[in-house]
Amino acid sequence: MNKDVYILGIESSCDETSVAIVKNGCIDLATVVLSQMDVHANYGGVVPEIASRMHVENITIVIEECLRKANLTMDDITAIAVTYGPGLIGSLLVGVVAAQTLSYVYNKPLVPVHHIAGHIYANNLTKQMAFPLIALVVSGGHTELVYMKDNYSFEKIGGTLDDAVGEAYDKVARIIKVPYPGGPLVDKMSHQGRDSYNLPIPLDDDSYNFSFSGLKSAVINLVHNEEQRGNEINKEDLACSFQTRVVNILCKKTLRALKSFNVNNLIVAGGVAANSGIRERLTAICEENNINLTIPEFKYCTDNATMIAAAGYFAYQLGRRAGLDLKAKANTPLE
Ligand code: KG4
Ligand code: ZN
């Protein structure tokens, strides 16, 4: 009989210090997420130096809290998985050094995990992932369509040419004076408004690439122009008009990818997978087209270590290992 595998995951790529223990790549035994959002909200966005310092202060506390919550000790842990990139370099370093130290002191294998692989494998916590699949990756730093023939095989078929979708949400939120992080609030407001503003449709071509900077700039220009004329903006309508354009193009290109790759499994990954417009529209499209759709639970959409431990399980099974020379990487492709 195969032995159970317990992965301790560490995630610190941005402003969440998170540690989780996952059994066999799918069972969340304990997750601790310490968010710094309240602190960064005072500055309207993440301040890298503050994020890094707060990770240093909190990482050991979060590791201990996670083990306590799972009622396990380091002896029970099979391997340690850590996000090595992409992300804020100072933030990543804290997680990587903590993971290396645990690996060295307790003599446990160290498994490097790409942050986006983590977001993708968050789906395995909801339902066992079936292949081949298309992953729609939508986060604060990424907007990608990824084809996966099998476990841990990532073929990027398209990506953003400029702003990531979450970034566009946060910038639109800022211009309409919604507090950081604005994405969830813009989403909420969009349900209280109508698609009444004539905004441009973002990059509607034959590729699987995305471009949201034109749409974002159109929103910014519209707000400035109306302000100069002394006109009031209907924020809910603007949020709805923006969200409608975003959801339409994401869903259109995703459906085309599913059809041309002849795939009937779709997963959604990243913080923007929490978006209600995307969830509703993809649910409807997948029902109509007989496609199996998995979207992670809300708590696994934004950054967390549970997804890193889930991805870490598959990376571990494939023999992926790192040592004390593992480097944190601010930019690194998914491979
Ligand atoms: O994956 P994530 O936690 O961090 C990155 O790896 O980037 O994603 C954070 C992003 C932020 O831009 C946030 O505004 C956005 O996800 N977000 C949303 C929603 N919830 C989070 N954007 C739109 N609608 C939402 N409901
Ligand atoms: Zn993320």
Side-chain angles (χ1 to χ4, degrees):
M1 206 176 87
N2 283 342
K3 228 173 133 248
D4 287 329
V5 174
Y6 294 82
I7 304 284
L8 182 137
I10 300 181
E11 156 65 38
S12 69
S13 66
C14 191
D15 60 341
E16 268 95 19
T17 318
S18 182
V19 177
I21 299 168
V22 169
K23 183 176 163 185
N24 299 335
C26 59
I27 302 163
D28 175 2
L29 295 180
T31 294
V32 180
V33 181
L34 204 144
S35 175
Q36 309 170 359
M37 201 183 281
D38 293 351
V39 175
H40 298 290
N42 296 321
Y43 304 92
V46 177
V47 183
E49 288 76 11
I50 295 179
S52 179
R53 252 178 265 144
M54 289 187 74
H55 284 306
V56 172
E57 284 165 19
N58 294 322
I59 188 76
T60 49
I61 300 168
V62 176
I63 293 168
E64 280 172 14
E65 170 68 8
C66 181
L67 285 163
R68 196 196 55 73
K69 221 173 148 182
N71 203 16
L72 296 173
T73 69
M74 282 306 294
D75 290 342
D76 302 309
I77 302 298
T78 315
I80 295 148
V82 65
T83 308
Y84 66 93
L88 300 171
I89 193 70
S91 292
L92 288 164
L93 269 169
V94 180
V96 167
V97 172
Q100 284 170 327
T101 310
L102 286 177
S103 154
Y104 179 77
V105 172
Y106 293 99
N107 197 21
K108 305 280 176 185
L110 179 63
V111 182
V113 174
H114 191 281
H115 184 73
I116 296 304
H119 274 303
I120 287 175
Y121 276 91
N123 287 277
N124 207 63
L125 296 158
T126 299
K127 200 167 130 204
Q128 191 180 358
M129 283 156 60
F131 301 94
L133 64 75
I134 294 284
L136 171 64
V137 180
V138 276
S139 76
H142 292 260
T143 310
E144 279 160 23
L145 278 166
V146 178
Y147 171 73
M148 291 180 72
K149 191 163 170 278
D150 213 335
N151 253 321
Y152 244 79
S153 121
F154 308 103
E155 187 191 330
K156 180 174 158 183
I157 60 170
T160 180
L161 304 178
D162 39 62
D163 289 11
V165 62
E167 192 183 349
Y169 263 93
D170 294 338
K171 287 178 180 165
V172 163
R174 193 187 273 224
I175 195 80
I176 59 170
K177 301 191 174 60
V178 167
Y180 173 84
L185 280 172
V186 171
D187 179 15
K188 206 168 160 202
M189 286 165 74
S190 82
H191 288 276
Q192 294 147 7
R194 289 179 315 118
D195 176 12
S196 64
Y197 285 101
N198 186 20
L199 296 174
I201 296 169
L203 192 65
D204 190 6
D205 64 358
D206 290 341
S207 77
Y208 296 113
N209 291 327
F210 299 98
S211 167
F212 294 105
S213 99
L215 175 62
K216 172 204 69 185
S217 301
V219 172
I220 294 172
N221 292 338
L222 190 146
V223 172
H224 284 156
N225 288 340
E226 292 299 299
E227 272 173 5
Q228 272 167 6
R229 292 192 191 112
N231 295 336
E232 279 271 321
I233 289 280
N234 183 323
K235 292 184 181 181
E236 286 74 19
D237 278 10
L238 192 53
C240 177
S241 307
F242 170 75
Q243 178 146 314
T244 304
R245 303 294 178 285
V246 170
V247 171
N248 281 351
I249 199 68
L250 286 173
C251 293
K252 184 174 175 180
K253 290 200 172 183
T254 302
L255 181 62
R256 184 150 52 76
L258 286 158
K259 291 198 166 156
S260 48
F261 282 77
N262 199 17
V263 165
N264 70 350
N265 298 301
L266 173 65
I267 62 169
V268 192
V272 189
N275 182 272
S276 61
I278 294 175
R279 294 172 93 96
E280 283 159 21
R281 178 70 72 79
L282 283 181
T283 304
I285 288 177
C286 289
E287 257 173 42
E288 267 166 42
N289 292 277
N290 252 333
I291 288 156
N292 305 312
L293 171 68
T294 310
I295 308 179
E297 279 179 55
F298 282 111
K299 63 180 177 184
Y300 299 133
C301 284
T302 42
D303 291 348
N304 63 85
T306 338
M307 66 186 198
I308 302 303
Y313 168 81
F314 293 95
Y316 171 79
Q317 298 291 24
L318 289 168
R320 294 199 176 206
R321 299 288 183 271
L324 292 180
D325 55 350
L326 175 65
K327 291 221 170 5
K329 290 188 178 145
N331 294 302
T332 178
L334 177 62
E335 41 192 34

